[in-house]
Amino acid sequence: NAGVTQTPKFQVLKTGQSMTLQCAQDMNHNSMYWYRQDPGMGLRLIYYSASEGTTDKGEVPNGYNVSRLNKREFSLRLESAAPSQTSVYFCASSEMGYEQYFGPGTRLTVT
Amino acid sequence: TQLLEQSPQFLSIQEGENLTVYCNSSSVFSSLQWYRQEPGEGPVLLVTVVTGGEVKKLKRLTFQFGDARKDSSLHITAAQPGDTGLYLCAGALDSWGKLQFGAGTQVVVTP
């Protein structure tokens, strides 16, 4: 049982490049989330999907887009990366709505 | 804006000592969760508290939810090096699973 998986684990981008972070869960959870974690800031919600077919903005959505491809997969896209988007990105899923299970993270550096 | 304030930010203690981490807010939460995160990994859920005044114990860890559901504490008895990690509290903002995370308390337990 893999839980929540994320790819890639590490990525370096140049300013203006685009990329998609992939997330998949095998727990049959309805809800999925994307967070970013910066030093001293805790985890901040970027976007979430309460159920398949729906997505909503979180606290820091600017510069990002998401796609809930199916119940298992939820991707995060950076269309034009900026140095301010250097961060660790976590995907999470939940069934109860509150108890979230996190992936191992993607460490992104934008130069 | 950080709705949840965690204190202290950093705590370094010797093995066998006790410690308490606090999580405070001016907002009322329907539930509050505590996570532990180790370097290079995603947060892992420790406990969820739902009822005001609730106390939950997980081996040497004791979690308390304030009567007004605005604050919580985590107490570790006889800390061990394996307790080292970043402790995060998170309050539920709505029924869809949106969480507000605190910035975290880094705990280091030395042998």
Side-chain angles (χ1 to χ4, degrees), chain A residues 23-43:
Chain A
C23 173
Q25 52 94 5
D26 63 2
M27 295 174 282
N28 203 36
H29 287 166
N30 282 308
S31 304
M32 298 185 73
Y33 313 83
W34 276 106
Y35 293 90
R36 60 178 290 172
Q37 186 174 34
D38 302 292
M41 300 290 290
L43 287 146

Side-chain angles (χ1 to χ4, degrees), chain A residues 31 33 35 37 40-43 45 48 50 57-59 90 96-100 102-104 107, chain B residues 2 30-31 33 35 37 40-43 45 48 86 88 92 94-99 101-103:
Chain A
S31 304
Y33 313 83
Y35 293 90
Q37 186 174 34
M41 300 290 290
L43 287 146
L45 184 65
Y48 69 105
K57 295 179 181 179
E59 183 185 353
F90 288 100
M96 298 293 293
Y98 299 153
E99 301 178 0
Q100 298 185 11
F102 286 81
R107 282 142 189 84
Chain B
Q2 199 75 46
S30 57
S31 69
Q33 301 174 17
Y35 292 81
Q37 184 179 20
E41 299 181 6
L45 180 69
T48 300
L86 179 67
L88 297 157
D94 62 22
S95 60
W96 293 108
K98 285 177 65 177
L99 296 176
F101 278 84

Side-chain angles (χ1 to χ4, degrees), chain B residues 53-64:
Chain B
E54 183 177 3
V55 177
K56 280 192 175 179
K57 293 192 175 185
L58 187 67
K59 296 183 179 178
R60 294 176 294 99
L61 279 61
T62 301
F63 304 86
Q64 186 161 7

